[in-house]
């Protein structure tokens, strides 16, 4: 999101790039994430989150800070690719780590709170940028350089806090270099393990940090019943890419100055946090996982249709309201969809790989989603919105298909005991 704010500060003009190059740079970022997503997750399982995630955030923050030295198209593209490689595996690793601490009925709300970091960052980033851009020219540094510098240094500070505060799992309850604010004794760790074990049919705790073999990776990847999850995620999440990149400039085109545009762009993202938590609460409360995902996507689809239909015929504040609504509902389905997938995995290794595949699907969507908004479609991107309506509708159909696959499998399971493939030996959560 800091790239979107940097664009309002003249970043593209200063380094001599156009919208096509910006879109390509985002694709390079997402490609870097995709390439190392599963390998990174396998390394995390060996090293544990305390070591791997802390180091990863530190490297990412350093590369992000170095963007202040970007001077041309080539360096811009290379920096985006390295940012993607550094980020690979962080989200699935963090989601998996969360799942090692909480029971199934508690997970959706925790995944939603974790998402506050990512989606809340998109709310805070333009708000912070509206102030940081006022430093333009101080110490001979442009406003967009101040954005990359300050936000990059903050990220490296977070990495140090992770080293001091992040526990590993109920098996390894202490952070690496400090006892932490919340201190969990060995006996309390054992109680936590028993609590998690209550969700398994045999009520036995399974080691959470294990070595994932290529055979297990292939077995999980080839489990066809989960593929509608991945395809739907790719389609619907692809629409988030152009929104995060161009919402501030869209608002500027309505007649607001860059400071006001960045501040106003944050409103939709702040509302999105409440939307995310509301759907997570409904998902945990009702245990209707698939239905909650479908309702959340439907709400997003409605805002896109309304925005595309009447967006040209209203005043600037109404246009801002429409774009704010689109941003507010753009990711409400995402955390609850991830929880639905996790709850239908049979063991920690399968869950870890499935989360990585889910994130890879989302990143694939972001890669092609960068092309939805083209320069010839400015300023309100009507053609881009039409494409987004189509892909979100396709995602809704796939979510409905996923629900049907699980329903008919469960119905068959009740009638007769399956034999052979152990992937069939489970009832899926609808």
């Amino acid at each position: 999101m800091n790239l979107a704010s940097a664009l309002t500060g003249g970043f593209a003009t200063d380094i001599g790039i156009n919208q096509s190059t910006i879109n390509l740079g985002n694709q390079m970022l997402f490609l870097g994430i995709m390439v190392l997503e599963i390998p990174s997750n396998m390394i995390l399982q060996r090293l544990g989150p305390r070591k791997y995630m802390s180091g990863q955030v530190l490297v990412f923050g350093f590369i992000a800070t170095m963007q202040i030295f970007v001077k041309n198209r080539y360096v811009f593209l290379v920096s985006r690719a390295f940012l993607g490689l550094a980020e690979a595996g962080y989200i699935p690793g963090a989601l998996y780590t969360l799942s090692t601490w909480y029971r199934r009925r508690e997970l959706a709300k925790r995944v939603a709170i974790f998402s506050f970091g990512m989606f809340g960052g998109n709310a805070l980033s333009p708000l912070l940028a509206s102030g940081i851009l006022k430093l333009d020219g101080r110490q001979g540094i442009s406003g967009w350089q101040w954005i990359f510098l300050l936000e990059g240094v903050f990220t490296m500070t977070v990495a140090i806090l992770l080293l001091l505060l992040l526990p590993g799992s109920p098996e390894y309850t202490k952070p690496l270099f400090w006892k932490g604010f919340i201190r969990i004794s060995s006996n309390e760790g054992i109680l936590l393990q028993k609590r998690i074990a209550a969700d398994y049919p045999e009520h036995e705790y399974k080691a959470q940090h294990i070595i994932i073999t290529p055979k297990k990776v292939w077995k999980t990847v080839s489990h066809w019943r989960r593929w509608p999850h991945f395809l739907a995620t790719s389609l619907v999440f692809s629409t988030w890419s152009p929104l995060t990149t161009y919402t501030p400039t869209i608002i500027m085109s309505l007649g607001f100055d860059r400071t006001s545009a960045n501040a106003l762009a944050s409103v939709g993202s702040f509302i999105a946090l409440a939307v995310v938590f509301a759907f997570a609460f409904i998902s945990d409360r009702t245990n209707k996982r698939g239905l909650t995902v479908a309702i959340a996507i439907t709400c997003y689809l409605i805002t896109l249709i309304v925005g595309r239909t009447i967006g040209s015929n209203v005043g600037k504040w109404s246009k801002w309201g429409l774009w704010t609504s689109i941003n507010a509902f753009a990711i409400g389905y995402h955390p609850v969809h991830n929880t639905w997938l996790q709850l239908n995995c049979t063991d920690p290794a399968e869950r870890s790989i499935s989360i990585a595949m889910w994130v890879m699907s989302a990143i694939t969507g972001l890669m092609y989603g960068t092309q939805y908004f083209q320069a010839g479609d400015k300023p309100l991107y009507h053609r881009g919105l039409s494409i987004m309506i189509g892909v979100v509708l396709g995602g809704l159909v796939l979510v409905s298909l996923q629900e049907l696959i699980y329903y008919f499998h469960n119905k068959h399971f009740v009638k007769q005991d399956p034999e052979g493939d152990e992937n069939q030996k489970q009832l899926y959560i609808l």
Side-chain angles (χ1 to χ4, degrees), residues 77-89:
L77 294 176
V78 171
S79 68
R80 301 303 285 178
F82 274 99
L83 276 173
L85 292 170
E87 186 178 344

Side-chain angles (χ1 to χ4, degrees), residues 38-39 42 212-228 230 341 345 349-358 360-361 423:
I38 289 181
M42 294 171 73
I212 298 175
T213 63
K215 181 179 178 181
K216 185 65 176 180
V217 172
W218 171 247
K219 189 172 185 179
T220 305
V221 170
S222 60
H223 185 40
W224 63 269
R225 286 187 184 87
R226 292 197 194 96
W227 271 92
F230 306 134
L341 171 66
C345 294
E350 184 178 81
R351 187 169 71 247
S352 178
I353 299 164
S354 295
I355 294 171
M357 290 176 62
W358 178 80
M360 288 176 68
S361 301
N423 281 329

Side-chain angles (χ1 to χ4, degrees), residues 283-297:
S283 179
D284 276 348
R285 186 69 177 265
T286 65
N287 205 34
K288 301 293 184 182
R289 308 293 179 170
L291 179 61
T292 305
V293 174
I295 292 172
I297 293 176

